[in-house]
């Protein structure tokens, strides 16, 4: 039975100011009344010797879903009912700043309050910025009519609004929860699609599933929790499971679902099925010598890393005989880069260290005949080579590497510049004469993943293209590169059919989450298969994302974009947050990134993302500016861009600008404050404060310095390692800086933040340091990620909005 209270009409937003700090809830979504009856009394008391009370019926589970279809209603009393009844009332309250509110419920005798699905005990509610779902579950007695009066008293005027228009703010919860794609694979004949999903839920719990879909009909043929892969050519998919005699390798027909156990006792280890489907290429690990735990020798800088002494090797497992044949042996790491289509040859790569000269790691590439075990060296001791794969006919090899690979034949920088080793290029080797040709020397985007198609002989690859990740097709016969006009800003995964002109890709944009498409590579037609973003963004109002570039003092175009708050009002003045790259890659247009820009904008900030000199994706000369500059140049681009952005946009409050970055970006947050006073607040997450200490202490300190400080060392370039380190310029800093750091960070050791924080404290500067227990370079644990993000927002609210309420609620002032 359901009885409606008097309808309030087409009301979208209901706010009545009872006083400067009070709002009265006049409209609810209502469900009920639901009859409540006394249960069968098996005993007079329960296990706690308590007698039955009708009020205990409030503790019975219920779903707030009943309110989603309920109409907006207005009344000052619950509907009368002949018997005892439960009633559910709900409303939405929105705040863009942290606040505490006093919830006052009058007229109801027995009730419970839930905020965002969690029961609230007590009248005071702490509300992080978001659109909150408030539900009141109440109980009425037979024949009695109860009035309803609900109000919220806030600390400050204008903090809360009541929203019933179906919209909500975009928050961190939307970033952390929901379903995304984790992989896509097209069957060899292009008829079926294997799509993997990862679902994250509140609290950090995750689940994974893979679906097999028939592309022509969209019919789901299978849905399984195990990791699945396609066989290379037979259009069967396979997985492994535990059987009576050990691990089984099982193939499955996607249409009939019929299973066939291919191997009963499959050896442990990672393997790849050969294109001929008659053997497996195993990558195995031999454990290295152990040291005592209490006192031990470190034989090389990298020996500090767990597992560094272990070595990988290759083996061939014959599916017919079950014989395992080792393919490599030795104390150098060896791994397989590709298998030829005829199953005869493997591209084997090895690595060895050479600490006395850059690069300190050398790689070699060999052609191994798995039938005769004859080996032919293709590339020996090249320190800049990446990976390798066969052409479909096995006569050529597609190579990846930095511009300095293969004697520097792919370099395209100015005289005196050293290319960035992470600006990945493509090369082509002819196996007949071992000649190598650069394919992307004059191509500005930075190559990510490349696949040589057996269907049409073209090379398909993704590449950082400014702040996009674009999709390309390269003709290896003439070297021509074609950009494929995809539907998303960033292509984050793709797959090609072996024998059909069919591809699938998924990606996202600056203002949307994951979407999946198929692509006819012959006709260049594409179709949307699945839109996960639609569910993730249901009811969310996003502000606009607009491109904004400027020409710097050197005449270079510096690309960027900015995000506006929802319900943007150009007549207002908004605080500004500036974000820039960490590492060497550009700050790309990912919707759900480490710093989800739309979530910042939803809190009332304008967010300016700038990609200064040194980022990959803009050409070799541009990325080379990251090398041997230690921030000089990139910092000037950020400062100049920020000033010009403020001058060009009247809606920005130029006195309330914050900046934030992580890793190299964390260093940049510190370094910027030694160069300018335009920022009102700064945040450095896992930032480098002293290039010398980071160079020697971080797991990858000296090896990253091969990128950023090529052929420069603390004893040869004091101007870079000392003079450009924020620690040695701490006295110049006047901006309040927050240092965030995982306390077990093995990339940038936590001491980088500690020493800079200590310096600023001794200098009497405004600063704070928050360490995250048990976290490495990235803050991944769910609860800590939430607290970490709230810490960031609270710091900016304190200094950019002059509101320390949230910060003080998290980090209560202490007198020590």
């Amino acid at each position: 039975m359901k009885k409606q209270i008097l309808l309030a009409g087409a009301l979208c937003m209901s706010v009545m100011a009872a006083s400067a700090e009070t709002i009265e809830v006049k409209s609810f979504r209502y469900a009920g009344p639901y009859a409540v009856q006394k249960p069968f009394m098996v005993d007079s008391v329960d296990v706690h010797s308590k007698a039955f009370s009708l009020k205990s019926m409030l503790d019975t589970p219920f779903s707030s879903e009943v309110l989603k279809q309920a109409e907006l209603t207005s009344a000052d009393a619950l509907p009368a009912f002949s018997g005892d009844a439960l009633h559910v009332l709900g409303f939405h309250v929105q705040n863009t700043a942290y606040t505490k509110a006093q919830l006052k419920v009058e007229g109801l005798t027995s009730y419970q309050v839930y905020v965002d699905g969690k029961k609230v005990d007590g009248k005071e509610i702490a509300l992080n910025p978001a659109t909150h779902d408030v539900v009141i579950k109440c109980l009425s007695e037979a024949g009695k009519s109860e009035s309803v009066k609900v109000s919220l008293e806030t600390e400050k005027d204008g903090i809360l609004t009541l929203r019933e228009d179906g919209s909500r703010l975009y928050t961190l919860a939307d970033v952390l929860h929901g379903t995304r794609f984790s992989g896509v694979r097209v069957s060899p004949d292009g008829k079926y699609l294997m799509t993997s999903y990862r679902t994250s839920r509140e609290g950090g719990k995750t689940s994974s599933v893979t679906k097999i879909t028939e592309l022509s009909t969209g019919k789901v043929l299978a849905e399984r929790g195990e990791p699945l892969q396609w066989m290379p050519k037979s259009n069967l998919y396979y997985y492994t499971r535990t059987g009576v005699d050990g691990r089984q390798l099982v193939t499955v027909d996607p249409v009939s679902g019929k299973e066939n156990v291919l191997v009963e006792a499959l050896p442990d280890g990672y393997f790849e099925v050969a294109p001929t489907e008659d053997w497996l290429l195993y990558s195995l690990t031999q454990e290295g010598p152990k040291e005592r735990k209490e006192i031990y020798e470190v034989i090389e800088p990298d020996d500090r890393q767990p597992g560094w002494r272990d070595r990988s090797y290759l083996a061939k497992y014959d599916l017919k005989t079950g014989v395992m044949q080792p393919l490599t042996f030795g104390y150098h790491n060896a791994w397989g880069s590709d298998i030829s289509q005829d199953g005869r040859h493997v591209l084997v790569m090895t690595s060895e260290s050479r600490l006395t000269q850059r690069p300190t790691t050398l790689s070699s590439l060999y052609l191994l005949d798995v039938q005769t075990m004859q080996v032919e060296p293709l590339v020996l001791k090249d320190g800049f080579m990446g990976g390798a794969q066969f052409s479909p006919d096995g006569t050529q090899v597609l190579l990846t590497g930095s511009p300095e690979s293969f004697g520097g034949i792919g370099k395209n920088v100015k005289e005196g510049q050293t290319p960035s080793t992470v600006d990945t290029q493509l090369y082509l080797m002819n196996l007949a004469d071992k000649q190598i040709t650069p394919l992307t020397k004059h191509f500005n985007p930075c190559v990510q993943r490349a696949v040589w198609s057996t269907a049409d002989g073209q090379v398909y690859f993704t590449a950082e293209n400014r702040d996009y990740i674009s999709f390309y097709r390269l003709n290896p016969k003439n070297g021509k590169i074609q950009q494929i006009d995809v539907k998303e800003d960033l292509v984050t995964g793709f797959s090609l059919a072996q024998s059909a002109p069919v591809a699938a890709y998924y990606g996202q944009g600056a203002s949307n989450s994951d979407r999946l498409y198929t692509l006819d590579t012959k006709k260049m037609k594409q179709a949307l298969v699945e839109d996960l973003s639609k569910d993730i963004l249901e009811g969310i109002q996003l502000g606009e994302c607009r491109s904004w570039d400027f020409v710097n003092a050197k005449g270079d175009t510096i690309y960027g974009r900015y995000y506006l708050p929802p319900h943007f009002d150009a007549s207002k003045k908004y605080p500004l947050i500036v974000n820039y790259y960490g590492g060497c890659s550009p700050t790309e247009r990912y919707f759900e990134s480490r710093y989800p820009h739309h979530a910042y904008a939803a809190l009332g900030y304008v967010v300016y993302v700038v990609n200064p000199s040194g980022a990959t994706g803009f050409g070799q000369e541009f990325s080379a500016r990251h090398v041997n500059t230690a921030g000089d140049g990139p910092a000037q681009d950020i400062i100049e861009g920020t000033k010009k952005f403020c001058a060009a946009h009247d809606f920005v409050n130029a006195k309330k600008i914050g900046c934030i970055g992580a890793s190299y970006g964390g260093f940049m947050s510190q370094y910027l404050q030694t160069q300018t006073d335009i920022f009102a607040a700064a945040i450095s997450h896992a930032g480098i404060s002293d290039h010398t200490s980071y160079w020697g202490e971080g797991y990858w300190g000296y090896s990253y310095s091969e990128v950023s400080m090529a052929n420069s060392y603390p004893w040869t370039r004091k101007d870079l390692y000392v003079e450009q380190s924020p620690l040695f310029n701490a006295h110049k800093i006047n901006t309040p800086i927050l240092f965030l750091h995982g306390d077990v960070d093995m990339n940038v050791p936590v001491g980088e933040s500690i020493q800079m924080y200590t310096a600023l404290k001794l200098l009497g500067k405004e600063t704070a340091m928050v360490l995250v227990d048990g976290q490495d370079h990235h803050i991944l644990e769910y609860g800590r990620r939430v607290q970490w993000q709230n810490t960031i927002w609270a710091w900016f609210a304190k200094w950019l909005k002059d509101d320390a309420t949230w910060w003080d609620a998290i980090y209560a002032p202490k007198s020590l």
Side-chain angles (χ1 to χ4, degrees), residues 564-565 568-578 604-607 642-643 645-659 677-681 796 799-802:
L564 296 174
F568 170 72
D569 183 348
S571 67
K572 293 183 178 180
K573 290 283 189 180
Y574 293 89
L576 177 68
I577 295 176
V578 182
Y605 299 101
V606 173
V607 181
T642 301
K643 289 179 177 179
F645 183 85
C646 292
H649 301 94
D650 292 338
F651 50 78
V652 171
N653 184 348
K655 293 183 179 180
K656 293 295 182 180
I657 308 173
C659 61
D677 287 331
I678 65 171
F679 297 104
F796 280 141
W799 295 103
L800 303 186
K801 294 185 176 181
D802 298 321

Side-chain angles (χ1 to χ4, degrees), residues 167-408:
S167 68
R168 59 188 178 88
L169 288 180
Y170 182 67
T171 67
L172 181 63
D174 299 299
V175 179
L176 297 180
H177 306 155
T179 300
R180 275 82 178 177
F181 299 115
S182 57
V184 61
R185 291 167 289 278
V186 183
S187 65
D189 63 0
K191 292 182 178 180
Y192 308 104
L193 187 65
M194 180 184 290
T195 310
S196 297
Y197 306 82
R198 185 175 186 270
T199 300
S200 302
R201 299 174 178 83
E202 185 175 1
K205 293 183 179 179
T206 62
S207 60
S208 298
V209 69
T210 298
K211 294 180 182 178
I212 308 293
T213 307
E214 187 176 50
L215 282 175
S216 61
T217 64
K219 181 181 178 181
V220 177
L221 303 176
E223 185 172 335
R224 311 185 68 126
E226 310 97 330
L228 308 178
Q229 294 285 350
W230 290 110
M231 293 293 283
K233 65 178 182 180
S234 59
N235 295 310
L236 303 174
Y237 66 86
Y238 69 88
Y239 69 99
T240 62
R241 69 185 180 199
T242 302
V244 175
D245 298 322
R247 190 165 66 143
Q248 295 179 332
L249 176 60
V250 184
T251 61
V252 186
D253 182 288
V255 178
S256 67
K258 182 180 179 181
E259 295 191 347
N260 175 50
V261 179
L262 203 60
V263 181
E264 284 285 0
L266 186 71
D268 291 334
Y270 173 79
F271 65 85
E272 177 184 355
V273 181
T276 47
E277 298 187 359
D278 56 351
W279 63 276
L280 309 178
L281 178 64
Y282 264 83
S283 180
L284 301 171
T285 300
Q286 182 183 25
E287 290 191 0
K290 303 296 183 182
E291 289 274 350
R292 295 182 299 267
K293 290 185 177 180
E294 65 276 11
I295 181 169
Y296 54 90
E297 179 189 15
V298 176
I299 60 175
E300 195 169 304
D302 285 346
D303 191 23
R304 298 174 299 145
Q305 301 180 32
W308 177 83
R309 294 186 181 186
D310 298 341
R311 293 295 183 263
S312 60
Y313 67 97
L314 296 173
K316 175 187 175 183
Y317 180 84
D318 187 275
L319 289 173
K320 184 177 181 179
T321 64
V323 173
M324 180 81 85
Q325 165 66 53
L327 296 178
T328 65
F329 174 83
Y331 62 88
H332 287 120
N333 281 310
W335 64 96
S337 193
D338 197 16
I339 307 172
S340 62
Q341 288 297 307
D342 62 5
R344 179 73 181 265
H345 295 93
V346 174
L347 290 173
V348 178
M349 296 191 69
T350 65
S351 66
E352 59 185 271
S353 63
R354 177 192 60 180
L355 294 179
T356 58
Q357 185 180 342
R358 174 184 179 269
T360 55
T361 300
L362 301 176
S363 297
S364 297
L365 177 66
Y366 301 90
L367 181 68
L368 170 65
D369 187 322
V370 297
Q371 293 184 11
T372 66
M373 293 303 294
Q374 291 184 335
V375 177
E376 182 180 359
L378 301 180
V379 179
L380 294 177
K381 298 184 178 182
D382 188 298
F384 303 100
M385 178 174 55
Q389 63 179 281
F390 284 108
S391 62
D393 63 5
T395 63
Q396 296 175 301
V397 174
L398 183 70
L399 301 164
T400 59
S402 82
E404 294 177 88
S405 301
F406 319 117

Side-chain angles (χ1 to χ4, degrees), residues 697-774:
E697 294 179 3
Y699 271 4
W700 300 277
Y702 79 91
S703 55
Y704 166 69
S705 294
E706 292 184 33
V707 180
S708 62
M709 306 285 206
N711 295 311
S712 298
Y713 302 94
W715 54 91
T716 63
R717 293 294 302 272
K718 181 181 177 182
D719 59 321
L720 293 177
Y721 280 90
V722 177
E723 300 302 330
Q724 291 291 107
S725 290
L727 181 64
F728 295 97
N729 295 278
H731 60 289
K732 300 176 183 177
I733 296 176
N734 299 306
T735 306
I737 302 182
L738 167 65
F739 296 94
L740 288 168
H741 223 120
D743 66 3
V744 291
D745 192 335
M746 296 294 102
N747 185 345
V748 178
V750 66
E752 292 299 311
S753 285
I754 293 173
Q755 59 191 5
M756 194 65 183
Y757 169 76
T758 302
L760 295 180
K761 291 295 283 188
L762 294 179
L763 287 165
K765 308 284 187 173
E766 285 283 0
T767 188
M769 183 169 67
V770 173
L771 304 182
V772 189
D773 178 62

Side-chain angles (χ1 to χ4, degrees), residues 533-606:
S533 183
K534 184 178 180 181
D535 291 336
I536 292 170
L537 296 182
E538 183 181 5
I540 289 175
Q541 288 189 331
L542 298 175
E544 287 187 67
C545 174
R546 302 174 181 173
S547 296
W548 190 81
D549 312 324
F550 74 95
V551 178
N552 68 10
K554 297 178 181 178
D556 303 314
T557 297
I558 303 299
Y559 294 86
R561 62 188 186 276
Y562 65 97
Y563 298 76
L564 296 174
H567 312 293
F568 170 72
D569 183 348
S571 67
K572 293 183 178 180
K573 290 283 189 180
Y574 293 89
L576 177 68
I577 295 176
V578 182
N579 183 216
Y580 27 78
Y581 72 83
C584 306
S585 293
T587 307
E588 290 153 335
R589 303 170 71 89
Y590 278 108
F591 182 60
E592 294 147 340
S593 63
R594 182 204 306 254
Y595 302 118
H597 300 113
H598 275 293
Y600 285 71
L603 300 185
Y605 299 101
V606 173

Side-chain angles (χ1 to χ4, degrees), residues 478-497:
N478 56 27
K480 290 184 178 180
I481 298 173
Q482 171 194 2
Q483 182 173 346
I484 300 172
D485 185 20
V486 294
K487 303 293 185 180
E488 298 299 327
D489 293 346
L490 304 107
V491 175
T492 51
F494 74 92
S495 174
L496 304 172

Side-chain angles (χ1 to χ4, degrees), residues 73-115:
T73 62
S74 177
D76 57 5
L78 297 176
F81 188 65
S82 58
D84 300 328
L86 279 173
H87 310 259
V88 184
L89 302 94
F91 62 93
H92 297 98
V93 61
Q94 182 172 296
N95 55 302
T96 56
Y98 174 88
T99 189
K100 292 181 179 179
Q102 296 288 332
L103 177 65
K104 193 174 183 180
V105 180
E106 298 177 272
L108 299 179
T109 304
S110 301
Y111 66 91
Q112 292 177 347
V113 177
Y114 296 81
V115 178

